[in-house]
């Protein structure tokens, strides 16, 4: 960036601007996925709406490429780009809970752990993801699913309003009553429409949950999946459970003799009544597909569950992922999962099937930009390893697995599980018939496509 332009940005902002050559630049440009190594011309660390407006003004006036970074958890690293100005929301990391109204206002740079901690003290929670390090912004704008989806719906189903700085620098609050078309688009349409500086969510009464983990021999994965595809959709909505092909990590609650063993597993979350034996009676059928190698349940505060995988998956690992939606787990898909799930390329690589039925199905198909209210699972295949030398092996396994599985999918995938170079048609498939409406909203709020470093929805032609 030209030194004069850089000085102008620094003078306009209260927050720090970090450029190449500055102390802390490498830390400022780093993202969760270490496979992404990009050098922005500046990282503008915004502390308030005024800073956000200053960065957008500079981008409009100079024609500089712009990226927007929330929690930095994006798999394809869309928050940074070579030569671009990275609008970094991470300093805007705050949460305010109103326990009487059961709502939370959340800053655009916050992470799920910030919200979980603030809400939990009042016995409240939000359906969100499965890692406390995930950014609230990216997760929410993509739709948001995790441990509580069957019980309380998608994250966007609890969104009440969003404060947004638009491409022209204007500031609006989008809700059902104000800018309802923008509010509709924000609930699943990704970061295409503006910079969300704050979210307001409806919270739900949830405190202690029962966490479970059942692991079977990987050679019985086909039997487990055939059982799981029938069992979970018919189970009470208080029961969530995602299927995983995984290697057993070292440490509790697993016995030492299982460390490193590849298994077919389900991670359970029971958000219903904690007294009595209802969960035990429900999970008695885990023996039906095959005797499990391991079965464990225990009560746990919700924030502890949300952070359970944080140490296993810290920032700085190599990641490559792809995803799809499924309305069923067909016999053909079962065969693919059996074959690839037994041949993980590394100890951290995995495949998850997240249930997205239950409460998520009670929202109308056209009520939000999320276009797959009829999907039952959201699948993700993730190649993960700390060693950059293994990056190509991770990518090849992930792509081969996805290409074999994709014919058994519904055609589109969760926008947050789409890679950077999967193409416009992939984005269209993700939004189905909603794409044209999203393009109209894009034309209204970002006609010049300033926000295009994302899974981009191009403005509709005038």
């Amino acid at each position: 960036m030209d030194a004069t332009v850089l000085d102008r940005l620094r003078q306009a902002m209260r927050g720090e601007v970090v450029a190449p050559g500055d102390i802390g630049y490498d830390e400022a440009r780093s993202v969760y996925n270490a496979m992404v190594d990009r050098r922005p011309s500046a990282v503008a660390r915004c502390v308030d709406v005024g800073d956000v407006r200053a960065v957008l003004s500079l981008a409009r006036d100079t024609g500089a490429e712009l990226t927007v970074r929330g929690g930095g958890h994006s798999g394809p690293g869309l928050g940074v780009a070579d030569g671009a100005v990275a609008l970094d929301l991470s300093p805007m990391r705050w949460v305010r809970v109103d326990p009487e109204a059961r709502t939370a206002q959340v800053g655009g740079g916050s992470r799920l752990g910030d919200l979980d901690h603030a809400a939990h003290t009042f016995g409240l929670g939000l359906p969100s993801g499965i890692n406390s390090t995930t950014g609230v912004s990216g997760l929410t704008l993509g739709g948001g699913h995790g441990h509580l989806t069957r019980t309380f719906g998608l994250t966007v189903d609890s969104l009440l309003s969003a404060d947004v700085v638009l491409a022209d620098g204007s500031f609006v609050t989008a809700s059902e009553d104000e800018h309802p078309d923008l509010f509709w688009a924000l609930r699943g349409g990704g970061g295409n429409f503006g910079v969300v500086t704050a979210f307001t969510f409806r919270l739900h009464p949830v405190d202690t949950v029962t966490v479970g983990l059942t692991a079977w021999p990987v050679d019985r994965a086909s039997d487990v999946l055939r059982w799981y595809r029938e069992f979970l959709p018919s189970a009470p909505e208080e029961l969530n459970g995602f299927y995983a092909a995984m290697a057993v990590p070292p440490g509790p609650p697993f016995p030492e003799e299982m460390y490193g063993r590849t298994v077919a597993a389900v991670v359970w979350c029971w958000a219903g009544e904690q007294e009595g034996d209802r969960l035990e009676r429900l999970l008695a059928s885990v023996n039906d597909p095959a005797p499990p190698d391991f079965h464990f349940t225990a009560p746990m505060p919700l924030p502890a569950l949300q952070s359970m995988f944080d140490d296993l998956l810290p920032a700085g690992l190599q990641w490559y992922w792809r995803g799809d939606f499924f309305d069923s787990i067909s016999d053909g898909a079962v065969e693919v999962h059996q074959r690839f799930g037994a041949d993980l390329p590394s100890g951290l690589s995995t495949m998850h099937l997240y249930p997205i039925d239950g409460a998520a199905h009670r929202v109308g198909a056209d009520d939000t930009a999320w276009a797959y209210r009829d999907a039952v699972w959201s699948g993700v295949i993730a190649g993960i390893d700390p060693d950059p030398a293994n990056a190509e092996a991770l990518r090849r396994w992930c792509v081969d697995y996805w290409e074999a599985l994709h014919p058994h999918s519904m055609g589109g995938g969760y926008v947050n599980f789409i890679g950077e170079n999967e193409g416009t048609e992939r984005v269209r498939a993700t939004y189905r018939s909603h794409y044209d409406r999203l393009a109209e909203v894009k034309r209204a709020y970002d006609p010049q496509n300033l926000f295009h470093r994302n899974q981009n929805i191009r403005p509709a032609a005038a």
Side-chain angles (χ1 to χ4, degrees):
M1 180 179 290
D2 179 87
T4 303
V5 176
L6 187 62
D7 286 344
R8 169 188 160 188
L9 182 60
R10 284 179 167 145
Q11 291 169 12
M13 288 184 58
R14 291 181 64 223
E16 181 183 22
V17 179
V18 186
D22 290 345
I23 294 173
Y25 173 72
D26 284 336
E27 179 182 0
R29 71 185 179 89
S30 67
V31 293
Y32 184 77
N33 181 2
M35 204 176 284
V36 176
D37 182 17
R38 300 184 186 133
R39 301 184 65 83
S41 61
V43 179
R45 310 188 76 172
C46 299
V47 300
D48 57 22
V49 170
D51 280 357
V52 172
R53 297 187 72 202
V55 177
L56 295 184
S57 176
L58 179 133
R60 289 193 310 273
D61 292 350
T62 66
E65 284 284 298
L66 178 76
T67 64
V68 181
R69 175 180 174 178
H73 218 278
S74 164
L78 297 172
V80 290
D82 289 331
V85 177
L87 191 161
D88 184 4
L89 294 169
S90 61
M92 299 175 69
R93 191 172 170 182
W94 54 267
V95 178
R96 180 184 181 276
V97 173
D98 182 336
E100 295 298 321
R102 290 183 175 176
T103 61
Q105 292 179 304
V106 183
S110 302
R111 297 178 181 177
L112 297 186
D114 304 324
L115 175 55
D116 291 337
H117 177 79
H120 181 69
T121 191
F122 300 109
L124 300 170
L126 179 76
S128 55
I130 67 164
N131 291 92
S132 74
T133 58
T134 303
V136 172
S137 290
L139 178 104
T140 301
L141 295 174
H145 57 57
H147 290 299
L148 298 175
T149 301
R150 298 190 76 238
T151 312
F152 298 122
L154 303 173
T155 305
V156 291
D157 299 338
S158 295
L159 183 64
L160 297 174
S161 67
D163 292 344
V164 190
V165 183
L166 302 175
D168 65 2
S170 59
F171 177 85
V172 301
T173 297
S175 68
E176 292 284 5
D177 298 321
E178 302 177 80
H179 299 275
D181 52 346
L182 176 61
F183 186 57
W184 175 86
L186 292 174
R187 288 176 289 168
N192 276 281
F193 308 99
V195 180
V196 179
T197 57
F199 300 84
T200 301
F201 295 103
R202 177 191 308 108
L203 300 179
H204 303 268
V206 55
D207 188 336
T208 298
V209 296
T210 297
V211 177
L213 202 153
T214 308
W216 295 263
V218 71
D219 61 4
R220 301 303 297 271
S222 296
D223 297 322
V224 173
L225 280 165
R226 291 189 180 96
W227 165 79
Y228 171 77
R229 70 187 181 187
E230 302 298 330
F231 169 76
L232 192 64
S234 63
E237 291 177 2
E238 295 93 338
L239 182 64
N240 290 259
F242 70 83
Y243 175 88
M246 57 177 279
V248 173
F254 295 103
E256 188 172 352
E257 61 270 20
M258 288 190 69
Y259 293 176
R261 186 185 304 175
T262 302
V263 295
V266 177
V267 179
W268 307 104
C269 173
W270 172 253
E273 177 60 50
Q274 296 297 304
E275 302 297 327
D277 63 351
R278 190 180 180 197
L279 178 61
E280 285 73 17
R281 287 186 282 111
L282 277 170
L283 293 185
S285 65
V286 298
N287 293 289
D288 292 352
D293 286 342
F294 180 79
H295 180 68
F296 164 88
T297 61
M300 186 178 291
L302 179 62
L305 169 60
Q306 294 284 81
S307 59
M308 192 165 68
F309 302 113
D310 288 0
D311 290 342
L312 184 66
L313 299 171
L317 300 175
Q318 304 285 310
W319 281 76
Y320 193 92
W321 64 20
R322 289 198 177 182
D324 266 322
F325 289 126
F326 302 88
D327 56 6
S328 65
I329 303 173
S330 68
D331 287 344
V334 167
E335 186 278 327
V336 173
H337 288 308
Q338 177 70 72
R339 178 158 47 100
F340 284 91
D343 190 26
L344 304 178
S346 69
L348 292 174
S349 295
T350 188
M351 189 286 305
H352 293 174
L353 288 171
Y354 298 106
I356 49 174
D357 59 329
H361 278 192
R362 291 199 295 276
V363 176
D366 298 325
D367 289 353
T368 65
W370 175 282
Y372 278 84
R373 291 290 175 176
D374 51 343
V376 182
W377 284 280
S378 173
V380 63
I381 303 160
I384 314 167
D385 193 70
D387 189 352
N390 293 332
E392 177 55 27
L394 301 178
R395 189 195 70 81
R396 186 71 265 157
W397 172 80
C398 181
V399 172
D400 288 349
Y401 194 161
W402 182 85
E403 288 180 346
L405 189 61
H406 183 64
H408 305 282
S409 76
M410 300 176 75
Y414 181 35
V415 68
N416 288 342
F417 291 157
I418 297 178
E420 186 178 27
N421 299 312
E422 293 189 45
T424 301
E425 289 309 309
R426 182 76 169 135
V427 177
R428 282 185 171 273
T430 290
Y431 292 113
R432 290 171 146 177
S433 61
H434 291 176
Y435 186 90
D436 289 343
R437 181 177 173 186
L438 285 164
E440 293 289 346
V441 178
K442 178 76 168 178
R443 181 176 65 182
Y445 289 93
D446 183 19
Q448 302 304 316
N449 205 9
L450 180 67
F451 304 111
H452 64 272
R453 289 284 188 166
N454 44 40
Q455 303 300 352
N456 195 233
I457 297 164
R458 296 172 184 169

